[in-house]
């Protein structure tokens, strides 16, 4: 998890640390929240959500359970915004934060399968005109960028320059190009290729590479290569519409576009996590990922699923799944991810061998207890989705 010294903004503190929190810490957090193993057999999900939300300020929590590669249970509890009585609905769309990163990787994998990108090409070949670049990054590959092993800082370290993107009126690809030119001048946080260091910037660089290779903007590519093939028809970019659940911060709904990094993420951050969609569409992607691990995926070739879901050497991260042997005392392997922009909180945990999994999301973050509410709701579910982990001798 990021240290305080490296957390220069809410964007840095929230958008990235939530993703690692699930990979590295959810097993401990959930171990204390697992109820009886028959919790789901005795009730639907709503009572679990109610119990988990108790004592928090979380306006709404939604959860979806996947069993045998199909949506099995779904429920939502609470309100779309806490200054209104309008209830959240199962068909609402939610901002999913960094849980969208594996979707970015799937897009890159599609382009690699088409021969448009090369996982192992050096950055100097993929972006040959970027002469002003820290030499340490010249041999960084797409694999390293998307597994957080490129040595890049989490975000652009110049706070004023980062904030300027929130009000930038240029086209999103132009903004992303300007962003990566700035971030590639910064010093690496470790030797590129050596170890895990969470970075949103790596995903923005990969997006620019994809945009250059195809001549299309990232948003068009995501729609064409991922959303449409999987039938994710509710998926969109940026904040949720006004008549849908709204993110919350400091006890209030966030109803205006972010103006600085303390507010959320800028629009051009889509490749690193600025998508919204229904939970059912998140589930379509999750189900395809799990099926792909067994050679039955629709979106990618078997080798691409393996690459996405295999932890890199010396790292807890694949591309961009966290890979765990167990979670909350239940047997894996399990693929995990979490994400937040400081106004929302989302979690995904998948058991690919069985085709089981769970997605939980809240329209608030830790400052309003959304971590307690979402993890507390997920806890009882794990006992129903996977057998107990074998105790180490």
């Amino acid at each position: 998890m990021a240290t305080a010294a490296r957390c220069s903004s809410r964007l840095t503190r929230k958008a990235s640390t939530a993703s690692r929190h699930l990979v590295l810490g959810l097993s401990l957090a959930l171990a204390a929240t697992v109820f009886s193993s028959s919790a789901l057999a005795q009730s639907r999900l709503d009572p679990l959500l109610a119990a988990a939300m108790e004592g928090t300020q979380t306006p709404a929590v939604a959860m979806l359970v996947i069993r045998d590669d199909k949506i099995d249970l779904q429920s939502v509890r609470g309100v779309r915004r806490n200054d209104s009585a309008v209830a959240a609905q199962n068909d609402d769309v939610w901002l999913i934060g960094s849980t969208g990163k594996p979707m970015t990787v799937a897009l890159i994998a599609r382009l690699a399968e088409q021969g448009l990108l090369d996982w192992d090409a050096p950055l100097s070949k993929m972006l040959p005109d970027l002469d002003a670049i820290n030499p340490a990054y010249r041999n960084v590959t797409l694999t390293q960028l998307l597994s957080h092993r490129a040595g890049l800082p989490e975000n652009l370290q110049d706070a004023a320059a980062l904030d300027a993107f929130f009000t930038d009126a240029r086209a999103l690809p132009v903004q992303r190009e300007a962003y990566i030119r700035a971030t590639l001048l910064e010093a690496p946080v470790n030797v590129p290729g050596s170890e895990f260091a969470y970075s949103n910037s790596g995903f923005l660089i990969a997006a620019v590479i994809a945009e250059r290779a195809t001549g299309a903007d990232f948003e068009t590519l995501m729609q064409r290569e991922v959303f449409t093939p999987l039938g994710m028809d509710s998926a969109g970019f940026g904040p949720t519409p006004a008549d849908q659940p709204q993110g919350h911060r400091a006890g209030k709904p966030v109803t205006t576009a972010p103006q600085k990094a303390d507010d959320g993420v800028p629009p051009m951050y889509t490749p690193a996590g600025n998508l919204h969609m229904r939970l059912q569409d998140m589930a379509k992607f999750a189900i395809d990922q799990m099926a792909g691990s067994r050679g039955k995926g629709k979106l990618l070739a078997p080798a691409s699923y393996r690459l996405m879901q295999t932890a890199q050497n010396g790292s807890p991260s694949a591309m961009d799944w966290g890979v765990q042997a167990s979670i909350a005392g239940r047997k894996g392997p399990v693929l995990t991810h979490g994400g937040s922009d400081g106004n929302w909180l989302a979690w995904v945990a998948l058991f690919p061998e069985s085709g089981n999994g769970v997605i939980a999301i809240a329209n608030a973050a830790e400052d309003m207890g959304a971590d307690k509410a979402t993890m507390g709701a997920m806890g009882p579910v794990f006992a129903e989705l996977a057998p107990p982990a074998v105790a180490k001798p």
Side-chain angles (χ1 to χ4, degrees), residues 95-377:
L95 193 80
I96 69 170
S98 286
T99 57
K101 279 187 170 72
M103 299 176 192
T104 294
V105 179
L107 162 61
I108 298 298
R110 292 265 293 187
L111 299 179
E113 290 178 6
Q114 295 165 26
L116 296 172
L117 297 177
D118 182 346
W119 289 112
D120 299 318
L123 204 58
S124 59
K125 179 179 180 180
M126 293 184 286
L127 300 172
D129 60 313
L130 265 65
D131 296 325
I133 181 176
N134 189 306
Y137 300 125
R138 291 196 177 278
N139 291 320
V140 162
T141 66
L142 274 172
T143 302
Q144 292 168 342
L145 289 170
L146 297 177
S147 62
H148 308 285
R149 297 178 67 248
L152 290 156
E154 293 185 37
N155 303 288
L156 184 62
Q157 298 298 284
D158 184 334
L162 180 57
D163 282 349
F165 285 106
F166 285 83
T167 54
D168 197 324
R170 292 176 295 176
L172 297 182
V174 175
Q175 293 185 46
R176 284 189 279 264
E177 178 101 16
Y179 178 100
I180 73 160
R181 287 180 180 275
T183 200
L184 285 170
L185 290 173
E186 297 180 333
V189 296
N190 56 37
V191 176
S194 65
E195 60 183 290
F196 178 90
Y198 193 92
S199 176
N200 292 308
S201 295
F203 279 70
L204 294 170
I205 295 168
V208 171
I209 293 168
E211 289 175 331
R212 286 187 172 200
T214 62
D217 63 80
F218 177 85
E219 289 74 16
T220 297
L221 291 171
M222 182 64 82
Q223 191 73 52
R224 184 182 79 198
E225 300 292 339
V226 179
F227 296 160
T228 297
L230 292 179
M232 299 168 62
D233 56 14
S234 72
F237 309 102
T240 58
D243 63 346
Q244 295 292 292
Q246 301 296 300
H248 289 72
R249 182 176 64 252
K252 297 179 180 180
V254 177
T255 58
T256 58
Q259 297 295 305
K260 58 186 184 305
D262 281 344
D263 299 335
V265 298
M268 61 88 178
Y269 248 61
T270 306
N274 198 21
L275 307 174
H276 65 258
M277 63 189 68
R278 294 192 302 262
L279 264 62
Q280 296 97 316
D281 281 341
M282 288 184 72
K284 290 176 183 177
F285 182 81
I287 288 168
D288 183 75
Q289 284 287 301
M290 292 191 288
S293 74
R294 305 189 302 275
K296 298 180 180 180
K298 297 178 181 179
L299 192 66
L300 303 171
S304 295
Y305 290 106
R306 285 195 298 273
L307 183 61
M308 285 188 68
Q309 299 173 14
T310 302
Q312 297 290 304
N313 290 335
S315 170
S317 179
M319 294 189 342
D320 180 49
W321 293 110
V323 182
Q324 298 179 213
S326 64
I327 191 168
R330 315 313 293 185
K331 181 179 180 298
V334 57
L335 303 177
T336 62
H337 214 300
S340 173
D341 66 346
N343 308 317
W344 301 78
L345 187 61
W347 307 111
V348 180
L350 308 175
F351 298 89
E353 290 183 355
S354 63
N356 295 342
V358 58
I359 300 169
I361 195 162
N363 57 345
E366 291 91 338
D367 71 321
M368 294 175 67
D371 50 344
K372 177 181 181 294
T374 49
M375 291 182 186

Side-chain angles (χ1 to χ4, degrees), residues 54-101:
E54 188 174 353
T56 77
Q57 294 179 287
T58 310
V61 175
M63 188 160 66
L64 181 149
V65 176
I66 300 166
R67 196 186 302 272
D68 298 325
D69 291 320
K70 297 181 179 65
I71 295 174
D72 182 44
L73 298 171
Q74 184 179 356
S75 186
V76 61
R77 186 177 182 87
V79 293
R80 288 175 172 168
R81 46 189 292 174
N82 66 3
D83 59 357
S84 167
V86 178
Q89 304 293 321
N90 277 333
D91 285 338
D92 283 350
V93 300
W94 306 74
L95 193 80
I96 69 170
S98 286
T99 57
K101 279 187 170 72

